[in-house]
Amino acid sequence: MNGERRPPFQSPRDAGGVTSTLRFPPPLVVLLAVVLAVMSGGRAEAGSRWSWPVVGEVIREFVRPADGWSAGHRGIDIQAVPGAEVRAPVASRVVFVGPVAGRGVIVLRTLEDGDVTLEPIEPAVLLGDIVNPGDIVGFVRGGHLGGNSLHLGLRVEGMYVDPIPLLPLPPRVVIYDSWLDSYALG
């Protein structure tokens, strides 16, 4: 080899070879973007201004009424045990605290989204209080769907709307098994 030392590995670029770059054709990129947008289902992103008021599964979904006085379900019901902390789902001001049809209700008014209703609740806030997402506003009081849920409603410009698109993906509940932990730790 003419006394010339070569490094043990020489990249094609260093050796004067030709390299190629993997590129997606533009239509495929557009299709991929559309598929990802559809799969997201219009849900709020992780950086959402909204948060879940309680941790639990949605056990009853929003059903839009045909008109203002028709049957429907004007919010969602989230599984929660009586006594669970209820947190403000969005920055807002407390505009109503009191009983409605025998159940404790809190109404929060946001700047952008409208009026948020939480029930049945034992309030921990007063009329006029300003709350931030995650602030405790009360505690779940039994009596809704057998006493095991919190109702979250949203009214925008006089119309009830589904709050789900404003919420981030639901938090996951992880069940901790102490037996497994003690076994793993010896």
Side-chain angles (χ1 to χ4, degrees), residues 12-158:
R13 180 174 292 157
D14 295 337
V18 177
T19 61
S20 65
T21 304
L22 177 62
R23 294 179 187 240
F24 291 106
L28 186 56
V29 171
V30 171
L31 178 63
L32 181 62
V34 169
V35 168
L36 289 174
V38 169
M39 287 175 54
S40 72
R43 296 295 299 271
E45 295 179 14
S48 172
R49 293 180 304 107
W50 282 66
S51 62
W52 287 84
V54 292
V55 175
E57 292 183 37
V58 174
I59 55 177
R60 188 169 175 204
E61 295 182 355
F62 176 83
V63 177
R64 184 177 313 282
D67 46 50
W69 57 88
S70 296
H73 189 239
R74 293 163 172 85
I76 60 171
D77 294 334
I78 307 165
Q79 188 172 23
V81 296
E85 293 177 341
V86 179
R87 298 181 179 272
V90 65
S92 47
R93 182 172 49 89
V94 179
V95 294
F96 179 83
V97 177
V100 173
R103 292 193 288 206
V105 175
I106 294 176
V107 178
L108 308 172
R109 180 156 297 149
T110 71
L111 292 176
E112 296 90 5
D113 304 311
D115 292 339
V116 176
T117 305
L118 299 164
E119 66 168 297
I121 192 167
E122 182 66 39
V125 291
L126 300 172
L127 188 64
D129 284 353
I130 304 295
V131 294
N132 293 308
D135 288 352
I136 296 174
V137 295
F139 302 91
V140 175
R141 188 192 288 172
H144 191 63
L145 289 182
N148 65 352
S149 72
L150 175 77
H151 179 84
L152 169 64
L154 176 61
R155 191 171 168 175
V156 178
E157 297 178 5

